[in-house]
Every structure is written in structure tokens, then in C-alpha cells.
Amino acid sequence: MNRPAEVTKEPALEIRFGPVDIAQVRIRSTDPGIIVDELTGRVATAPKFFERTAVCLDLSELGREPDAAELRGVIEAVRRAGMLPVGLVNGTGATDALARAVDMPLLAQFRATAKIPPVVHAAPAEPEPDLGPLIHTQAVRSGQRLYARRRDLIVMAPVGAGAELMADGCAHVYNTLRGRVMAGARGDTNARVFCQEFYAELVSIAGVFRVFETIPPELAGKPVQAWLDGDALRFARLGE
Amino acid sequence: MTEIIVVTSGKGGVGKTTTSASIACGLASRGKKVAVIDFDIGLRNLDLIMGCERRVVYDFVNVINGECTLKQALIKDKRLETLFVLAASQTRDKDALTADGVERVLDELRAENFDYVLCDSPAGIEKGAHLAMYFADRAIVVVNPEVSSVRDSDRILGLLASKTKLAEGGNGRVQEHLLLTRYSPKRVASGEMMGVEDVKEILGLDVVGVVPESTDVLSASNAGTPVILNENSDVSRAYQDAVSRLLGETVPLRFVDEPKRGFFARLFGG
């Protein structure tokens, strides 16, 4: 068979690395029924945000290492609720063995707890430390995304068209807002959006959103706030 | 100290190569030692605009791969003795570029005491554009007063502020300049076209120059003579002003207002 003198082969695949945002589901019980109930509730509050979102499972607050069968039950429950578990949060050596048993990767932990806390009563979850708002003073350019996890977001510079702001709490833009803003990202229906010069493309609070194909003249370029009134998203000039 | 300047835009066809060529000539004609590099691997055109397309023996990728020395690849301009062109490869594609390779070439240009290295970026935000801006100290973002160009430039400004070596190091930033090209004061006055102030407001940056729309640009490309060398052209004057501003001089903006018509012109129309 004749072959050309030089054969250039296209590689069949390419490997790239890049940062990825991923949610952590920290479980305090391995009861599948409880997990399905609670998670389904969460997914329903902000379906566009949570449905089919990749999550990694953090077992550090269970107080003990589950066995592989228990863990499979947990994974199945999370899937039924609508999220997609893709890994375990890196923890102890036993977590490593579990990860192998369920054939999932270990993902680096965001916060530094690598030891199993001593077994305690079923106390209510400790409140997260209040970090105050995330304050951003640089222009947010088209294609950029900001996410204020468990906080309010305050932006002091212009937000370009095609930029995205997300906050679990309120979102404030003390400048021109041309992009998209999503407050109450985890379902806080009390979250509000405030801005100084309103030209937003999309506003969402706790998953209830409105797209602005045209901006009503009474709001365009004005200081505006948005809030949820039951199921309806309301907008008004600030100071009215 | 060598300064690396990237000429980028996001949007294609707005005047990056035209600008790279003219600014490089402008700096060289003021006695600076300048290298201008084409990062558009596979679709090279800087050599055409500079008029040296038939003198390209070795190109940027050859240097990166060690197939020749930088000195062998640099093409000396025939008109300005301190100006050198490094052409892109026409037969390969952007995958031939590597961050290490680009860094080595830039370091070698620094060692050769170049005052300015202009990196002519390809359009888009992929590897070629990314590497063209990655090592930059300054950026000239070329924008047409038109919605998609402005949007793409906003994206590029975001990338300049986050995905460059200076930004990733955390203790510096790429100095950003806007250059408005293909500007028509008449159309701005009639409300058809975005004005300088509109662009400044959306992008939040001052302009380092406003270059008027002109048929001179096409003629210059065809002739292989960067338009700044055409002394009779307003485009040339605008680029000269931009070079002055880049060098720190304060120069008032020209070519942003409709030319005032004299009494007889108004009387007899035309």
C-alpha cells in the first residue's frame, strides 16, 4: 500500500486546564429521604440556577465516614433532587478510599477543614460568619461575571452590557448598569437590586426574572430598585 | 526599558494592522528602535501593509521553534532604519504559538534594546489574541464607533484587566488606551454614528486618538506603504497625533468636528 512520504496527524483530543465554579453540598445526614426533600426545595427556589448544576459532596460534617453503600444512596438522592454530583470534597484518607469506591474524583476543598469533627448532638447549623458585602471597584466588562457568595454585592464602577452580576444577598450598582444582575441567587426572596443608572438587560431576584428588550422610559438611566412582591418582580425609581 | 504594546480590538476589520503599521512607523520616525510583530498566524497581513511581503524568509514561528535566529527573521524596513518587522507564518496556525516561545522572543528583543515592541493581535479572543496581549505593558484598543465593535472592545478590556501577566501578578495593570478609527464627524453630527463621547461613556476610557474614515487607507495598503507616511492625508495626521500622545505629549483632538465650510462653499453648495 502506498503511503505519502509525510503524514500529518491531527491529534484526536486536546487537554486544557481552567478554573471552574462548582457548588459544594455539605451533608449532615445520609438519609436519602431527607436529602431529596431539602435539595428539591432548594432547586425549586431557583431552578435556572440549581437544576442540573454540578456539585461536589462535602462529608466533613457528618461526624463519621459513611460506607460506600451509604454514599451511593446519597449520590442517588442528590441526582433525584435535580443536581449532578461530580466529585467529593477532599478530606481525610478515608475520603480518598470512598472516592475510589464510588469512582469519583477528589476536588480541592474551599475551606481548610481536613479533620472529622468530634461526634456531636444534632445541633442546628452554626450561622456562617458574616463577611459583609463584596465590594468591587473596577469596571465589570462584557463577559465578566461576579458572584457574591452568601453576601451582598456592591459595585462602584460601570457594569458593561454582557457582564453578569450574581449575589446571594442584595446587589447594588452605584454606577451605570448595562448587564445582567441576579440577586437572591440561592432563593432569598427578600433580596433587592439597587442601581444608580438603570439600563439592565436582565434582572432576577430568587429566580424570578425579567428581560428588558426595551427599557421603560420612566426607568431608563434613572436610579432604580427592584424587589419581589410575592411572585412578581417590581421596579421603581429610587426615592419614590 | 523596552515597552511592549499590544494593538488589539476583539472585533475584526477595525484597523489593528493599519494602526500597528502606522504607529510603528510613527515611533521609528522619532528615532525609537521599534519591532512590530504579526501574531495572526496563518492569516498574516502585517507584511503586506508594511510592503515587505516579498522579503519574508523566516517568520515568528520559525524563531519560536528555533529554526532560525531572531536576527535572521527580523526584516529591516527600507524607509526607516530603526524599524523592524517580524512576520507571521502563513502555512501554520495559532497552535504553533506557545507562551514560552513568545516570552523568549520578547526577552530577546528586550536584550537587543528595542524601545518599543508592537504586537499586532489577530481578531477574536483565542490563543493568538491571548498571547499577543499576555506580555503587554500597554494596550491600544482599536474601536470603530459602532455597536459590535464597542461590545467586543469591552470584552477585550476585561481580558486585559484579568488575563495578562501584569494582571495575574497582582501588582500592576496593562495601561489601556482607546483608539477610535473610521470616524466620520458628519455622520456623528447627523446622529447616525456614535460619537467620541458616547464611546468614552460606554467603555469608560479616554481616547488616545481619533482616526477619520478615509479612502487613503485602502490606497496605502495597496501600495504597501503605511498610511502615516502619506503626509497629505488626515489619517496620517491623526496617527501622528496618536503617537505624540503615546509619548506623553498633550495634543488636542482633531478630525472630530465637521469641517467648517467657507462662505463661498456654502453659497454655491458643494
Side-chain angles (χ1 to χ4, degrees), chain B residues 133-152:
Chain B
M133 69 167 71
Y134 190 74
F135 300 100
D137 301 307
R138 275 214 250 189
I140 300 176
V141 179
V142 181
V143 188
N144 284 355
E146 178 265 324
V147 294
S148 32
S149 176
V150 170
R151 173 77 67 99
D152 290 358

PDB file of all heavy atoms in Angstrom, chain B residues 133-152:
ATOM      1  N   MET B 133      -1.559  39.728  23.814  1.00  0.00           N
ATOM      2  CA  MET B 133      -1.738  40.680  24.903  1.00  0.00           C
ATOM      3  C   MET B 133      -1.075  40.242  26.200  1.00  0.00           C
ATOM      4  O   MET B 133      -0.899  41.054  27.115  1.00  0.00           O
ATOM      5  CB  MET B 133      -3.234  40.947  25.163  1.00  0.00           C
ATOM      6  CG  MET B 133      -3.981  39.779  25.750  1.00  0.00           C
ATOM      7  SD  MET B 133      -5.623  40.237  26.387  1.00  0.00           S
ATOM      8  CE  MET B 133      -6.529  40.558  24.915  1.00  0.00           C
ATOM      9  N   TYR B 134      -0.705  38.957  26.290  1.00  0.00           N
ATOM     10  CA  TYR B 134      -0.308  38.426  27.596  1.00  0.00           C
ATOM     11  C   TYR B 134       0.882  39.142  28.221  1.00  0.00           C
ATOM     12  O   TYR B 134       0.927  39.377  29.409  1.00  0.00           O
ATOM     13  CB  TYR B 134      -0.034  36.916  27.495  1.00  0.00           C
ATOM     14  CG  TYR B 134       0.145  36.279  28.842  1.00  0.00           C
ATOM     15  CD1 TYR B 134      -0.964  36.065  29.665  1.00  0.00           C
ATOM     16  CD2 TYR B 134       1.396  35.922  29.320  1.00  0.00           C
ATOM     17  CE1 TYR B 134      -0.820  35.511  30.920  1.00  0.00           C
ATOM     18  CE2 TYR B 134       1.539  35.367  30.579  1.00  0.00           C
ATOM     19  CZ  TYR B 134       0.424  35.161  31.373  1.00  0.00           C
ATOM     20  OH  TYR B 134       0.564  34.614  32.626  1.00  0.00           O
ATOM     21  N   PHE B 135       1.884  39.497  27.400  1.00  0.00           N
ATOM     22  CA  PHE B 135       3.088  40.091  27.969  1.00  0.00           C
ATOM     23  C   PHE B 135       3.125  41.611  27.835  1.00  0.00           C
ATOM     24  O   PHE B 135       4.168  42.233  28.017  1.00  0.00           O
ATOM     25  CB  PHE B 135       4.328  39.485  27.290  1.00  0.00           C
ATOM     26  CG  PHE B 135       4.423  37.996  27.481  1.00  0.00           C
ATOM     27  CD1 PHE B 135       4.035  37.126  26.484  1.00  0.00           C
ATOM     28  CD2 PHE B 135       4.892  37.474  28.676  1.00  0.00           C
ATOM     29  CE1 PHE B 135       4.109  35.748  26.670  1.00  0.00           C
ATOM     30  CE2 PHE B 135       4.974  36.100  28.867  1.00  0.00           C
ATOM     31  CZ  PHE B 135       4.573  35.238  27.858  1.00  0.00           C
ATOM     32  N   ALA B 136       1.987  42.205  27.509  1.00  0.00           N
ATOM     33  CA  ALA B 136       1.982  43.637  27.197  1.00  0.00           C
ATOM     34  C   ALA B 136       2.111  44.515  28.431  1.00  0.00           C
ATOM     35  O   ALA B 136       1.644  44.176  29.517  1.00  0.00           O
ATOM     36  CB  ALA B 136       0.694  43.997  26.453  1.00  0.00           C
ATOM     37  N   ASP B 137       2.776  45.676  28.226  1.00  0.00           N
ATOM     38  CA  ASP B 137       2.801  46.718  29.250  1.00  0.00           C
ATOM     39  C   ASP B 137       1.681  47.713  28.972  1.00  0.00           C
ATOM     40  O   ASP B 137       1.127  48.307  29.880  1.00  0.00           O
ATOM     41  CB  ASP B 137       4.146  47.460  29.210  1.00  0.00           C
ATOM     42  CG  ASP B 137       5.324  46.520  29.439  1.00  0.00           C
ATOM     43  OD1 ASP B 137       5.309  45.799  30.452  1.00  0.00           O
ATOM     44  OD2 ASP B 137       6.249  46.496  28.597  1.00  0.00           O
ATOM     45  N   ARG B 138       1.411  47.914  27.681  1.00  0.00           N
ATOM     46  CA  ARG B 138       0.380  48.874  27.279  1.00  0.00           C
ATOM     47  C   ARG B 138      -0.496  48.234  26.207  1.00  0.00           C
ATOM     48  O   ARG B 138      -0.030  47.390  25.457  1.00  0.00           O
ATOM     49  CB  ARG B 138       1.031  50.089  26.638  1.00  0.00           C
ATOM     50  CG  ARG B 138       1.477  51.114  27.628  1.00  0.00           C
ATOM     51  CD  ARG B 138       1.313  52.469  27.055  1.00  0.00           C
ATOM     52  NE  ARG B 138       2.581  53.084  26.758  1.00  0.00           N
ATOM     53  CZ  ARG B 138       2.703  54.342  26.413  1.00  0.00           C
ATOM     54  NH1 ARG B 138       1.647  55.109  26.313  1.00  0.00           N
ATOM     55  NH2 ARG B 138       3.890  54.835  26.153  1.00  0.00           N
ATOM     56  N   ALA B 139      -1.724  48.709  26.112  1.00  0.00           N
ATOM     57  CA  ALA B 139      -2.605  48.190  25.070  1.00  0.00           C
ATOM     58  C   ALA B 139      -3.253  49.345  24.327  1.00  0.00           C
ATOM     59  O   ALA B 139      -3.701  50.317  24.944  1.00  0.00           O
ATOM     60  CB  ALA B 139      -3.682  47.314  25.685  1.00  0.00           C
ATOM     61  N   ILE B 140      -3.281  49.237  23.011  1.00  0.00           N
ATOM     62  CA  ILE B 140      -4.069  50.186  22.212  1.00  0.00           C
ATOM     63  C   ILE B 140      -5.270  49.390  21.727  1.00  0.00           C
ATOM     64  O   ILE B 140      -5.118  48.453  20.934  1.00  0.00           O
ATOM     65  CB  ILE B 140      -3.259  50.719  21.019  1.00  0.00           C
ATOM     66  CG1 ILE B 140      -2.013  51.441  21.527  1.00  0.00           C
ATOM     67  CG2 ILE B 140      -4.121  51.657  20.190  1.00  0.00           C
ATOM     68  CD1 ILE B 140      -1.099  51.906  20.408  1.00  0.00           C
ATOM     69  N   VAL B 141      -6.447  49.720  22.223  1.00  0.00           N
ATOM     70  CA  VAL B 141      -7.652  49.001  21.838  1.00  0.00           C
ATOM     71  C   VAL B 141      -8.317  49.783  20.718  1.00  0.00           C
ATOM     72  O   VAL B 141      -8.776  50.902  20.917  1.00  0.00           O
ATOM     73  CB  VAL B 141      -8.603  48.838  23.043  1.00  0.00           C
ATOM     74  CG1 VAL B 141      -9.863  48.103  22.638  1.00  0.00           C
ATOM     75  CG2 VAL B 141      -7.894  48.098  24.163  1.00  0.00           C
ATOM     76  N   VAL B 142      -8.314  49.177  19.541  1.00  0.00           N
ATOM     77  CA  VAL B 142      -8.844  49.875  18.367  1.00  0.00           C
ATOM     78  C   VAL B 142     -10.353  49.637  18.298  1.00  0.00           C
ATOM     79  O   VAL B 142     -10.819  48.505  18.355  1.00  0.00           O
ATOM     80  CB  VAL B 142      -8.162  49.333  17.082  1.00  0.00           C
ATOM     81  CG1 VAL B 142      -8.683  50.073  15.863  1.00  0.00           C
ATOM     82  CG2 VAL B 142      -6.652  49.483  17.188  1.00  0.00           C
ATOM     83  N   VAL B 143     -11.101  50.717  18.204  1.00  0.00           N
ATOM     84  CA  VAL B 143     -12.563  50.614  18.226  1.00  0.00           C
ATOM     85  C   VAL B 143     -13.157  51.391  17.071  1.00  0.00           C
ATOM     86  O   VAL B 143     -12.743  52.513  16.811  1.00  0.00           O
ATOM     87  CB  VAL B 143     -13.132  51.248  19.523  1.00  0.00           C
ATOM     88  CG1 VAL B 143     -14.608  50.974  19.656  1.00  0.00           C
ATOM     89  CG2 VAL B 143     -12.378  50.790  20.725  1.00  0.00           C
ATOM     90  N   ASN B 144     -14.137  50.810  16.388  1.00  0.00           N
ATOM     91  CA  ASN B 144     -14.934  51.602  15.449  1.00  0.00           C
ATOM     92  C   ASN B 144     -16.140  52.138  16.221  1.00  0.00           C
ATOM     93  O   ASN B 144     -16.656  51.477  17.113  1.00  0.00           O
ATOM     94  CB  ASN B 144     -15.431  50.718  14.291  1.00  0.00           C
ATOM     95  CG  ASN B 144     -14.335  50.414  13.299  1.00  0.00           C
ATOM     96  OD1 ASN B 144     -13.233  50.917  13.411  1.00  0.00           O
ATOM     97  ND2 ASN B 144     -14.647  49.594  12.320  1.00  0.00           N
ATOM     98  N   PRO B 145     -16.626  53.319  15.867  1.00  0.00           N
ATOM     99  CA  PRO B 145     -17.773  53.867  16.590  1.00  0.00           C
ATOM    100  C   PRO B 145     -19.054  53.154  16.164  1.00  0.00           C
ATOM    101  O   PRO B 145     -19.944  53.733  15.537  1.00  0.00           O
ATOM    102  CB  PRO B 145     -17.785  55.339  16.165  1.00  0.00           C
ATOM    103  CG  PRO B 145     -17.076  55.374  14.861  1.00  0.00           C
ATOM    104  CD  PRO B 145     -16.144  54.221  14.795  1.00  0.00           C
ATOM    105  N   GLU B 146     -19.156  51.896  16.543  1.00  0.00           N
ATOM    106  CA  GLU B 146     -20.210  51.024  16.037  1.00  0.00           C
ATOM    107  C   GLU B 146     -20.471  49.975  17.123  1.00  0.00           C
ATOM    108  O   GLU B 146     -19.548  49.533  17.806  1.00  0.00           O
ATOM    109  CB  GLU B 146     -19.674  50.418  14.737  1.00  0.00           C
ATOM    110  CG  GLU B 146     -20.556  49.438  14.037  1.00  0.00           C
ATOM    111  CD  GLU B 146     -20.237  48.005  14.393  1.00  0.00           C
ATOM    112  OE1 GLU B 146     -19.045  47.707  14.572  1.00  0.00           O
ATOM    113  OE2 GLU B 146     -21.185  47.228  14.504  1.00  0.00           O
ATOM    114  N   VAL B 147     -21.716  49.570  17.279  1.00  0.00           N
ATOM    115  CA  VAL B 147     -22.100  48.792  18.466  1.00  0.00           C
ATOM    116  C   VAL B 147     -21.341  47.489  18.668  1.00  0.00           C
ATOM    117  O   VAL B 147     -20.946  47.176  19.795  1.00  0.00           O
ATOM    118  CB  VAL B 147     -23.618  48.510  18.505  1.00  0.00           C
ATOM    119  CG1 VAL B 147     -24.405  49.788  18.689  1.00  0.00           C
ATOM    120  CG2 VAL B 147     -24.083  47.798  17.258  1.00  0.00           C
ATOM    121  N   SER B 148     -21.156  46.710  17.607  1.00  0.00           N
ATOM    122  CA  SER B 148     -20.493  45.422  17.870  1.00  0.00           C
ATOM    123  C   SER B 148     -19.021  45.606  18.176  1.00  0.00           C
ATOM    124  O   SER B 148     -18.463  44.877  18.996  1.00  0.00           O
ATOM    125  CB  SER B 148     -20.700  44.416  16.745  1.00  0.00           C
ATOM    126  OG  SER B 148     -20.796  45.032  15.512  1.00  0.00           O
ATOM    127  N   SER B 149     -18.405  46.597  17.558  1.00  0.00           N
ATOM    128  CA  SER B 149     -17.002  46.842  17.856  1.00  0.00           C
ATOM    129  C   SER B 149     -16.835  47.293  19.317  1.00  0.00           C
ATOM    130  O   SER B 149     -15.924  46.851  20.017  1.00  0.00           O
ATOM    131  CB  SER B 149     -16.453  47.914  16.914  1.00  0.00           C
ATOM    132  OG  SER B 149     -15.120  48.227  17.252  1.00  0.00           O
ATOM    133  N   VAL B 150     -17.762  48.136  19.776  1.00  0.00           N
ATOM    134  CA  VAL B 150     -17.669  48.627  21.153  1.00  0.00           C
ATOM    135  C   VAL B 150     -17.864  47.472  22.127  1.00  0.00           C
ATOM    136  O   VAL B 150     -17.137  47.337  23.109  1.00  0.00           O
ATOM    137  CB  VAL B 150     -18.706  49.737  21.391  1.00  0.00           C
ATOM    138  CG1 VAL B 150     -18.788  50.088  22.871  1.00  0.00           C
ATOM    139  CG2 VAL B 150     -18.349  50.979  20.591  1.00  0.00           C
ATOM    140  N   ARG B 151     -18.819  46.607  21.836  1.00  0.00           N
ATOM    141  CA  ARG B 151     -19.080  45.471  22.735  1.00  0.00           C
ATOM    142  C   ARG B 151     -17.864  44.559  22.806  1.00  0.00           C
ATOM    143  O   ARG B 151     -17.429  44.130  23.863  1.00  0.00           O
ATOM    144  CB  ARG B 151     -20.301  44.687  22.229  1.00  0.00           C
ATOM    145  CG  ARG B 151     -20.565  43.393  23.001  1.00  0.00           C
ATOM    146  CD  ARG B 151     -21.200  43.650  24.316  1.00  0.00           C
ATOM    147  NE  ARG B 151     -22.532  44.178  24.168  1.00  0.00           N
ATOM    148  CZ  ARG B 151     -23.660  43.460  24.261  1.00  0.00           C
ATOM    149  NH1 ARG B 151     -23.606  42.194  24.527  1.00  0.00           N
ATOM    150  NH2 ARG B 151     -24.819  44.047  24.125  1.00  0.00           N
ATOM    151  N   ASP B 152     -17.283  44.262  21.645  1.00  0.00           N
ATOM    152  CA  ASP B 152     -16.122  43.380  21.621  1.00  0.00           C
ATOM    153  C   ASP B 152     -14.937  44.028  22.328  1.00  0.00           C
ATOM    154  O   ASP B 152     -14.151  43.349  22.992  1.00  0.00           O
ATOM    155  CB  ASP B 152     -15.740  43.039  20.172  1.00  0.00           C
ATOM    156  CG  ASP B 152     -16.757  42.120  19.515  1.00  0.00           C
ATOM    157  OD1 ASP B 152     -17.725  41.719  20.196  1.00  0.00           O
ATOM    158  OD2 ASP B 152     -16.591  41.810  18.319  1.00  0.00           O
TER     159      ASP B 152
END
